[in-house]
């Protein structure tokens, strides 16, 4: 099979998030009769992994700015599926999981920092300062102007840390958040006020 045909199947596999079996099915459905033979899913997997694909990692002029806007979030990964059915059946406490923290450049969609897996007991607030420090060290000539995050990062300490580093926090506050003039950070209070004002006509809060 030519490498160009396997490269086309590889693009379809990545773009549509397909396993190798479904990639084989798409090739059989659309290319049958047009090519002499269709590779099976094992051949597709083996040949795609052997392709020498060059990725252009150079920044385009469109994204070359003096500042960057980042977004930070985390996701959980189960350690193993072994014994999961028994645990669900007998209502046994589920096993722990690992958390991966990722920060992305909003404009270029490039991963700027990735924190090693932590357990479920490590809160997202504890991981954010370390990731921001990594980005600042790796991008000495570029300043971070905004940071987007979900409600897991809603705390006065995070707002205070970002404010001290000259970063505008764009964090979704909790629905029951209140303005605290004495203990709350001024940027968090402004976020609470601005998000509470975004109310639809039917009475729902549009966050």
């Amino acid at each position: 099979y030519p490498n160009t045909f396997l490269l086309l199947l590889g693009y379809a596999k990545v773009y549509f998030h397909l396993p190798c079996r479904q990639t084989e099915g798409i090739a059989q459905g659309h290319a049958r009769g047009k090519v002499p033979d269709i590779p099976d899913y094992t051949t597709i997997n083996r040949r795609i992994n052997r392709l020498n694909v060059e990725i252009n990692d150079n920044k385009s002029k469109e994204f070359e700015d003096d500042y960057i806007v980042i977004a930070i979030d985390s996701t959980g990964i189960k350690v193993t599926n072994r014994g999961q059915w028994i645990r669900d059946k007998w209502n046994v406490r589920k096993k722990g999981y690992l958390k991966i923290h990722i920060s992305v450049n909003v404009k270029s969609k490039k991963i700027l920092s990735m924190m090693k897996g932590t357990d479920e007991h490590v809160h997202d607030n504890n991981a954010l300062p370390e990731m921001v420090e990594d980005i600042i060290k790796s991008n000495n000539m570029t300043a971070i102007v905004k940071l987007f995050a979900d409600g897991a990062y809603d705390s006065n300490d995070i707002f205070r840390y970002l404010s001290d580093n000259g970063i505008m926090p764009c964090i979704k506050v909790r629905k029951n958040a209140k303005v605290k003039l004495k203990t709350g950070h001024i940027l968090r209070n402004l976020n609470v006020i601005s998000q509470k004002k975004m109310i639809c006509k039917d009475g729902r809060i549009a966050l």
Side-chain angles (χ1 to χ4, degrees), residues 126-138:
N126 300 329
L128 186 143
E130 181 177 348
M131 299 182 67
V132 173
E133 291 293 336
D134 292 340
I135 298 174
I136 294 175
K137 292 179 181 178
S138 60

Side-chain angles (χ1 to χ4, degrees), residues 39-121:
D40 55 23
Y41 67 94
T42 56
T43 304
I44 292 174
N45 183 39
R46 184 176 66 253
R47 289 289 302 276
I48 288 178
N49 292 330
R50 292 180 179 178
L51 291 176
N52 185 15
V53 180
E54 296 182 0
I55 300 176
N56 186 8
D57 197 27
N58 296 328
K59 295 182 179 179
S60 61
K61 295 182 179 180
E62 180 182 358
F63 300 126
E64 290 181 353
D65 295 322
D66 295 333
Y67 64 90
I68 57 175
V69 180
I70 64 174
I72 292 182
D73 202 357
S74 63
T75 182
I77 300 177
K78 290 199 301 184
V79 179
T80 179
N81 288 328
R82 182 178 58 186
Q84 186 66 36
W85 182 83
I86 296 296
R87 291 175 175 269
D88 293 340
K89 177 179 176 60
W90 299 106
N91 197 21
V92 181
R93 189 179 68 85
K94 294 183 179 180
K95 292 183 178 180
Y97 58 91
L98 297 178
K99 292 175 67 175
I100 297 179
H101 307 266
I102 301 176
S103 60
V104 181
N105 187 336
V106 174
K107 292 185 177 181
S108 64
K109 307 297 187 297
K110 182 179 179 181
I111 297 178
L112 300 177
S113 177
M114 180 181 297
M115 188 175 178
K116 295 181 179 180
T118 58
D119 58 18
E120 69 274 17
H121 302 292

